[in-house]
Amino acid sequence: MSLTVEQVKARNQELIKEVLEVYPEKTAKRRAKHLNVYEEGKTDCNVKSNIKSIPGVMTIRGCAYAGSKGVVWGPIKDMIHISHGPVGCGQYSWAARRNYYIGTTGIDTFVTMQFTSDFQEKDIVFGGDKKLEKIMDEIQDLFPLNKGITVQSECPIGLIGDDIEAVSKKKSKEYGGKTIVPVRCEGFRGVSQSLGHHIANDAVRDWVFDKSDDKHPEFVGSPYDVAIIGDYNIGGDAWASRILLEEMGLRVIAQWSGDGSIAELENTPKAKLNVLHCYRSMNYISRHMEEKYGIPWVEYNFFGPSKIEASLREIASHFDDKIKEGAEKVIAKYKPMMQAVIDKYKPRLEGKTVMLFVGGLRPRHVIGAYEDLGMVVVGTGYEFGHNDDYQRTTHYVKDGTLIYDDVTGYEFEKFVEKVQPDLVGSGIKEKYVFQKMGVPFRQMHSWDYSGPYHGYDGFAIFARDMDMAINNPIWGLTKTPWAA
Amino acid sequence: MTQSTNNVLDHFNLFREPEYIDMFETKKKNFEFPHPADKVEEVRDWTKTWEYREKNFGREALTVNPAKACQPLGAVFVAVGFEGTMPFVHGSQGCVAYYRSHLSRHFKEPSSCVSSSMTEDAAVFGGLNNMIDGLANTYSMYKPKMIAVSTTCMAEVIGDDLNGFITNARNKGSVPEDFPVPYAHTPAFVGSHITGYDNALRGILSNFWEGKERTANGKINFIGGFDGYTVGNLREVKRMFDMMGVEYTILADNSEVFDTPADGEFRMYDGGTTLEDTAAALNAKATVSMQQYCTEKTLAYAAEKGQEVAAFNHPVGVAATDKFLMEVSRITGRAIPAELAKERGRLVDAIADSSAHIHGKKFAIYGDPDLCLGLAGFLMELGAEPVHVLSTNGGKEWEARMQELFESSPFGKGCHAYAGKDLWHMRSLLFTEPVDFLIGNTYGKYLERDTGTPLIRIGFPVFDRHHKHRYPVWGYQGGMNTLVTILDKIFDEMDRNTNIPAKSDYSFDIIR
């Protein structure tokens, strides 16, 4: 028996009240501002966001280092990214994000490696700058084909007063102007991964764009040059996107940053349009390029055929008729395949409900893909979203959707227990909690080791995976048949 | 147009389709400004040489692909081994997200842990308020019986005083007066996850033992140490102890919480050493540790309290298990029952049956120091040679212990231990002095890819194979499992090397 919208709203309001009861008064007051029920017609979700997580509540968030090394810089494949500080941060994030790339790892490509300064007590006491210099020398010696180095600061760096900028400048000069980028992404900065994205974006601006004259004068531009910004090529997402842009007649001159290279970053200011997928993590550099180089940028969404179609047209609208026709051809070409996917999976998924809690763009961007399959997203929230994300979310969510910002372990578990969605989409830390509860789950950060999910090719995989999660026969067996 | 609903191609095959291969080539050629292919090949070949190895071993500052993690991971691992205990890590919150992900990826289980979420203001003013609020919130929300505090490097660098902070929080009513909040300083820039295990366990024990009068009884305490096989191993140890009639307390027993059923209920806490047993463990006759390097301070503490202590090095195989059981028997006065002798005989039998395929094979091993000692001992028992044994978190003393072990057997001749080295060092070893098999954790697959040395996954973490942690590697039963794991790879390799029709398949035997 399905509830009316008004009943859903009442239940969700009640639910919010209920979860807040567990907290001490001060905490309840603070958390109340992050939880809400979306009212149709409003231009915002009316939740507070991008503020400090509360101690001891089990936030799902990470840190600025995760945002810089883990998200923005880590995938740049021909540079070496030093996790500067103690061993752990680099170890736990080592190759965990599935940023696919083509290259010979350890020789000209370094993404799935863990370079660390492995700080010891003496480095804390006496400072790590000398060690960092030596590390750069050793990198030059042992990995001669690296095309640049970044220094990804871990917590202690900013606390002990190391001057990684001075070291980077000195060494860059010594190696004939090599790109060396110090990044101040210490984990205690800001409130989540988000500030790490911003700091990493600024580091590209200051240490890549502003440091070099045109490094590739031989590069010949075209009127159809675009750069993909904010696609980390998880499971090959950027590839499944790039192929569509190229098919419609555009030339993708750079990928930021999945399967990206330093040359691509350097040449991006030559693009005619920046196409931005993950707004949250790369709007900063897009705005900068707009201001400084006059490159317009456009947000797009390549999850599910409805959004892909609209996005292809939107991107094409920035170009001439040739590209507009190209977009139509691409849409027409893939339509039968998309219809076949929907015909196969929609009957198996129609009406199924989903609760999401993810980062970046996904809490809103994937909603369309679920809807293409007849599914309904009944709750969503951002790990590290800002107000502008929640505003954008209003274009996607339905009346009465439960909204939870920086959800705590406790809240999420209670929400799911009461709402009983058919599927939860969140991260590795949440996956097994919900599966124990008998709720089908897909990791929506790593695509649960599947993917790509972007583009037309990706949608077929997305549909298959959601079906296999929800219609997995094991969920019928969680209860003992002999129990009363 | 590659997709069809009858056969949806995902990343495994999609990107091998011609349109994607073309796309990759064009991208590289036009936009990546790559090094010439022959240059890449040249450097690749150079990295395989002795010359490169010497340069590589000459590194003094850079670490590449280490086989160790940081202290708080070990502290979290210990904390969840106690009844109703929530690990609370004081410092930056991102660290906790990492520990939880890391443990979940290995065990395929939830991993609960909270952070005091310190940010810039706490860096300046200290994290006292974070501790006060954090403990209060955790206590109200997650209803733990104990909160075990450890630290990230941030809190350590700014010098937060855990003892003072916790007392302060208690005075402010964050947790009740008598609520246990043991703590340990676990700086990430000292030691590794095994140090954190030790510090946290000692911290928890001292919380219950300090100021208490010890009345010795006949029980023993057992500590597993940081162990990726904790689920299977602790159950196996309990089974053996029960068979012997030993009275025991497993300390930090996380074998239940990392193996909960999917029956509709999420158990944030499950099993674990009860707080009562933890307190009573002071009275034990002895404390036995399965991993010496995980428990140096803890055992010293137990000894200080008047207990006999015994430490092993992750014993695997016949002789190592014999030694372990005999020591337990000596301490407790309980005989080793015939049923265990029978299990032993079965393991000896299995080794005898299979030894022809293992004898003389050369192995490289890497991992935590105790694991390396245990596996190297087992390999030599099988007549195999542990040629390279590497431990990033092993020290000079460990290296000397390894050397002693090599010298104890003709199969250790020419074998070397490498303390404080990483997997990029191992890469050079495998290229310059090749072996038949590599034993290590999941990251070893990069070495397998680069050097062609088949990887046998034993260690932590293992992310890319499922459920291995459920099977013990300790006890005779565990020795059997380890033997089979090694043999499976050997046989798979034999088949892989002999399966070319009309070329090598004369040796593609069905009976081996």
Side-chain angles (χ1 to χ4, degrees):
Chain A
M1 194 190 67
S2 62
L3 304 173
T4 65
V5 175
E6 289 316 309
Q7 283 170 323
V8 167
K9 285 183 186 172
R11 181 206 57 194
N12 287 350
Q13 290 294 3
E14 195 51 41
L15 202 43
I16 290 172
K17 229 194 266 168
E18 206 182 307
V19 298
L20 290 172
E21 277 165 16
V22 78
Y23 294 109
E25 203 187 326
K26 185 169 106 183
T27 309
K29 253 191 194 151
R30 287 175 63 184
R31 282 303 306 158
K33 297 175 186 157
H34 297 264
L35 308 172
N36 200 16
V37 181
Y38 177 65
E39 289 286 341
E40 197 162 53
K42 294 268 169 68
T43 55
D44 199 348
C45 298
N46 276 318
V47 290
K48 289 265 185 218
S49 59
N50 195 34
I51 50 182
K52 276 196 275 186
S53 300
I54 300 168
V57 299
M58 210 179 303
T59 172
I60 291 166
R61 284 174 167 176
C63 64
Y65 164 89
S68 176
K69 186 267 182 180
V71 175
V72 175
W73 278 107
I76 301 294
K77 62 184 179 178
D78 49 5
M79 297 178 82
I80 285 177
H81 311 289
I82 304 167
S83 292
H84 191 39
V87 70
C89 318
Q91 201 70 5
Y92 308 124
S93 57
W94 179 6
R97 207 158 181 264
R98 301 184 61 240
N99 307 110
Y100 283 5
Y101 60 90
I102 306 280
T104 308
T105 307
I107 309 301
D108 66 350
T109 315
F110 311 95
V111 180
T112 48
M113 295 177 70
Q114 140 63 333
F115 291 84
T116 171
S117 46
D118 188 13
F119 259 36
Q120 300 299 304
E121 199 150 22
K122 63 176 191 305
D123 302 314
I124 301 287
V125 177
F126 300 111
D129 286 342
K130 285 268 170 304
K131 186 174 199 177
L132 182 59
E133 285 190 28
K134 196 172 230 180
I135 283 172
M136 290 181 184
D137 290 340
E138 290 176 356
I139 284 175
Q140 284 301 93
D141 212 16
L142 287 163
F143 304 94
L145 299 187
N146 85 78
K147 290 203 180 163
I149 296 170
T150 72
V151 182
Q152 304 289 329
S153 301
E154 299 171 5
C155 287
I157 304 307
L159 300 171
I160 61 175
D162 273 12
D163 193 350
I164 58 169
E165 289 79 8
V167 173
S168 301
K169 277 185 200 154
K170 180 181 163 192
K171 284 289 156 188
S172 170
K173 207 168 157 195
E174 205 177 307
Y175 307 139
K178 186 182 192 75
T179 303
I180 301 186
V181 184
V183 191
R184 287 284 179 181
C185 55
E186 288 88 345
F188 61 81
R189 293 192 198 278
V191 302
S192 67
Q193 292 91 315
S194 186
L195 189 64
H197 306 140
H198 198 155
I199 291 168
N201 277 223
D202 289 353
V204 176
R205 179 193 65 200
D206 298 343
W207 299 83
V208 178
F209 288 170
D210 292 357
K211 282 285 160 193
S212 61
D213 302 329
D214 191 351
K215 284 202 171 173
H216 308 283
E218 70 273 41
F219 179 90
V220 182
S222 89
Y224 303 119
D225 288 358
V226 299
I228 293 178
I229 311 281
D231 189 325
Y232 302 102
N233 205 32
I234 291 166
D237 280 339
W239 293 333
S241 305
R242 180 185 187 106
I243 204 161
L244 300 180
L245 297 176
E246 290 187 345
E247 264 187 85
M248 69 193 264
L250 297 170
R251 207 171 76 125
V252 179
I253 67 165
Q255 281 178 212
W256 292 54
S257 56
D259 193 38
S261 57
I262 182 69
E264 291 169 68
L265 297 193
E266 287 160 348
N267 280 328
T268 304
K270 296 167 187 167
K272 300 294 180 295
L273 179 72
N274 281 327
V275 299
L276 176 60
H277 207 238
C278 183
Y279 169 84
R280 180 70 278 129
S281 58
M282 284 199 176
N283 75 84
Y284 318 101
I285 200 71
S286 306
R287 290 176 198 279
H288 171 71
M289 284 191 266
E290 183 177 41
E291 253 171 54
K292 179 149 185 197
Y293 309 106
I295 307 170
W297 53 280
V298 57
E299 288 177 65
Y300 71 107
N301 178 348
F302 269 9
F303 287 104
S306 304
K307 294 293 170 191
I308 297 174
E309 192 172 316
S311 293
L312 289 173
R313 290 196 175 112
E314 171 70 24
I315 292 168
S317 75
H318 292 258
F319 293 94
D320 59 15
D321 285 351
K322 183 187 144 211
I323 300 298
K324 286 179 190 138
E325 280 158 27
E328 293 309 321
K329 269 190 212 147
V330 172
I331 292 164
K333 173 183 161 190
Y334 287 96
K335 209 150 217 167
M337 191 260 275
M338 288 297 99
Q339 197 54 51
V341 170
I342 289 167
D343 289 346
K344 176 168 179 182
Y345 293 106
K346 195 169 179 176
R348 303 165 63 87
L349 297 170
E350 182 99 59
K352 301 284 185 194
T353 55
V354 187
M355 288 179 81
L356 298 169
F357 186 75
V358 230
L361 68 156
R362 293 157 175 173
R364 62 175 178 274
H365 260 44
V366 297
I367 292 175
Y370 283 112
E371 288 175 351
D372 284 336
L373 294 168
M375 298 169 73
V376 192
V377 174
V378 295
T380 193
Y382 292 80
E383 209 176 304
F384 46 82
H386 297 205
N387 198 34
D388 49 5
D389 289 303
Y390 285 101
Q391 285 165 355
R392 284 167 164 76
T393 306
T394 61
H395 305 306
Y396 289 88
V397 289
K398 288 198 159 32
D399 200 18
T401 303
L402 189 57
I403 307 286
Y404 29 82
D405 177 69
D406 183 21
V407 81
T408 68
Y410 176 86
E411 289 163 7
F412 203 11
E413 190 193 324
K414 291 293 160 207
F415 287 156
V416 170
E417 205 176 282
K418 289 289 162 60
V419 175
Q420 287 288 315
D422 297 298
L423 179 75
V424 174
S426 191
I428 182 69
K429 303 191 290 301
E430 295 71 60
K431 179 181 173 81
Y432 303 106
V433 169
F434 295 116
Q435 290 189 173
K436 300 289 177 192
M437 289 164 67
V439 182
F441 188 97
R442 285 297 295 184
Q443 287 184 67
M444 291 301 282
H445 299 258
S446 66
W447 306 148
D448 236 315
Y449 322 121
S450 175
Y453 280 179
H454 293 178
Y456 287 122
D457 281 337
F459 181 67
I461 304 164
F462 173 84
R464 178 200 69 180
D465 289 356
M466 297 311 134
D467 174 50
M468 78 162 83
I470 291 178
N471 294 311
N472 180 346
I474 201 64
W475 300 126
L477 297 173
T478 55
K479 297 287 175 202
T480 50
W482 57 84
Chain B
M1 183 75 67
T2 37
Q3 296 290 24
S4 124
T5 51
N6 292 325
N7 181 25
V8 173
L9 302 181
D10 56 22
H11 58 90
F12 289 104
N13 291 306
L14 178 64
F15 301 125
R16 298 177 190 199
E17 295 291 314
E19 62 266 39
Y20 278 102
I21 290 173
D22 284 352
M23 188 182 87
F24 297 151
E25 278 167 13
T26 316
K27 174 179 184 292
K28 184 174 178 180
K29 191 171 66 164
N30 294 343
F31 306 111
E32 293 179 6
F33 293 82
H35 295 286
D38 53 348
K39 182 75 196 163
V40 174
E41 271 317 294
E42 185 194 315
V43 172
R44 190 153 81 125
D45 286 340
W46 172 62
T47 66
K48 299 175 185 175
T49 62
W50 275 92
E51 183 202 336
Y52 188 85
R53 170 177 165 163
E54 272 152 32
K55 248 182 201 301
N56 191 10
F57 273 76
R59 268 190 280 146
E60 289 173 355
L62 172 67
T63 299
V64 185
N65 298 352
K68 66 170 180 181
C70 67
Q71 281 212 45
L73 181 77
V76 171
F77 185 88
V78 163
V80 298
F82 290 87
E83 175 195 18
T85 299
M86 179 63 79
F88 181 110
V89 190
H90 182 54
S92 302
Q93 70 193 13
C95 314
V96 168
Y98 279 144
Y99 316 138
R100 294 179 66 204
S101 303
H102 208 65
L103 292 167
S104 283
R105 286 175 178 140
H106 174 82
F107 289 109
K108 316 296 177 199
E109 291 288 325
S111 170
S112 300
C113 177
V114 297
S115 161
S116 66
S117 294
M118 284 164 68
T119 55
E120 279 145 316
D121 51 346
V124 178
F125 302 111
L128 175 60
N129 288 330
N130 299 68
M131 182 69 81
I132 294 170
D133 291 350
L135 289 179
N137 286 325
T138 303
Y139 181 77
S140 320
M141 294 171 73
Y142 298 113
K143 318 253 177 302
K145 291 189 172 158
M146 174 160 86
I147 298 175
V149 177
S150 56
T151 48
T152 77
C153 53
M154 177 205 183
E156 289 299 319
V157 172
I158 64 174
D160 274 3
D161 166 20
L162 288 185
N163 188 28
F165 283 15
I166 293 165
T167 306
N168 219 316
R170 213 186 278 283
N171 293 340
K172 297 247 177 191
S174 297
V175 294
E177 196 48 49
D178 57 348
F179 184 82
V181 186
Y183 65 91
H185 289 277
T186 50
F189 45 83
V190 175
S192 70
H193 57 288
I194 63 174
T195 325
Y197 182 101
D198 198 10
N199 284 333
L201 185 52
R202 188 194 182 283
I204 290 170
L205 295 182
S206 66
N207 180 83
F208 290 95
W209 292 4
E210 265 327 275
K212 298 278 157 43
E213 197 60 40
R214 176 169 179 266
T215 319
N217 59 31
K219 291 176 83 168
I220 61 166
N221 300 323
F222 176 89
I223 304 170
F226 194 102
D227 174 23
Y229 300 90
T230 187
V231 170
N233 274 341
L234 292 183
R235 286 178 188 163
E236 180 63 10
V237 167
K238 288 179 205 172
R239 190 184 69 90
M240 293 191 295
F241 284 178
D242 288 341
M243 286 167 86
M244 290 173 74
V246 169
E247 287 189 277
Y248 62 90
T249 304
I250 308 268
L251 296 174
D253 180 1
N254 50 21
S255 62
E256 293 297 305
V257 77
F258 284 133
D259 192 22
T260 62
D263 59 359
E265 182 197 345
F266 161 53
R267 295 160 177 83
M268 180 168 270
Y269 313 107
D270 202 19
T273 315
T274 65
L275 305 190
E276 204 183 348
D277 285 351
T278 308
L282 170 65
N283 302 321
K285 185 176 185 207
T287 294
V288 175
S289 163
M290 215 58 154
Q291 298 196 71
Q292 179 196 347
Y293 295 100
C294 291
T295 48
E296 287 172 315
K297 287 179 202 149
T298 303
L299 285 191
Y301 180 65
E304 192 187 295
K305 293 288 159 196
Q307 296 178 8
E308 190 178 340
V309 293
F312 298 87
N313 299 108
H314 201 291
V316 181
V318 181
T321 306
D322 290 349
K323 201 175 136 207
F324 166 64
L325 290 179
M326 283 158 69
E327 184 67 357
V328 170
S329 171
R330 183 192 65 75
I331 294 169
T332 60
R334 309 296 305 190
I336 301 168
E339 192 50 42
L340 275 173
K342 206 166 178 186
E343 286 182 20
R344 180 185 188 278
R346 291 185 189 123
L347 177 58
V348 172
D349 182 60
I351 293 172
D353 294 347
S354 310
S355 103
H357 298 295
I358 306 182
H359 193 99
K361 292 272 188 302
K362 292 183 183 348
F363 286 76
I365 307 171
Y366 70 86
D368 285 346
D370 291 293
L371 178 68
C372 284
L373 280 159
L375 287 175
F378 184 46
L379 286 179
M380 296 197 301
E381 188 171 274
L382 300 172
E385 299 170 21
V387 175
H388 313 300
V389 182
L390 180 149
S391 184
T392 309
N393 48 354
K396 285 287 156 209
E397 191 266 345
W398 168 82
E399 205 171 64
R401 287 281 308 283
M402 281 302 316
Q403 200 50 47
E404 253 172 62
L405 181 69
F406 294 145
E407 282 160 17
S408 72
S409 159
F411 300 99
K413 198 162 181 269
C415 298
H416 286 281
Y418 299 91
K421 299 298 178 200
D422 56 42
L423 301 188
W424 198 254
H425 291 116
M426 181 61 101
R427 187 176 184 273
S428 279
L429 293 174
L430 296 176
F431 274 128
T432 50
E433 296 177 87
V435 295
D436 299 305
F437 295 94
L438 170 67
I439 298 183
N441 60 17
T442 280
Y443 302 115
K445 77 192 292 176
Y446 296 133
L447 294 169
E448 181 177 42
R449 175 197 59 197
D450 288 1
T451 70
T453 319
L455 171 67
I456 297 166
R457 284 171 180 75
I458 303 176
F460 176 91
V462 174
F463 292 152
D464 63 340
R465 295 293 184 271
H466 292 191
H467 310 308
K468 302 292 180 193
H469 63 277
R470 299 172 198 277
Y471 298 90
V473 297
W474 293 341
Y476 300 117
Q477 213 57 62
M480 187 74 84
N481 290 335
T482 312
L483 173 71
V484 173
T485 301
I486 295 171
L487 278 172
D488 280 349
K489 183 58 102 178
I490 292 177
F491 290 129
D492 281 349
E493 279 301 301
M494 273 180 198
D495 288 344
R496 207 176 58 82
N497 288 328
T498 56
N499 64 4
I500 304 168
K503 199 144 194 201
S504 65
D505 66 342
Y506 43 83
S507 301
F508 196 65
D509 284 322
I510 59 153
I511 308 164
R512 297 204 195 272

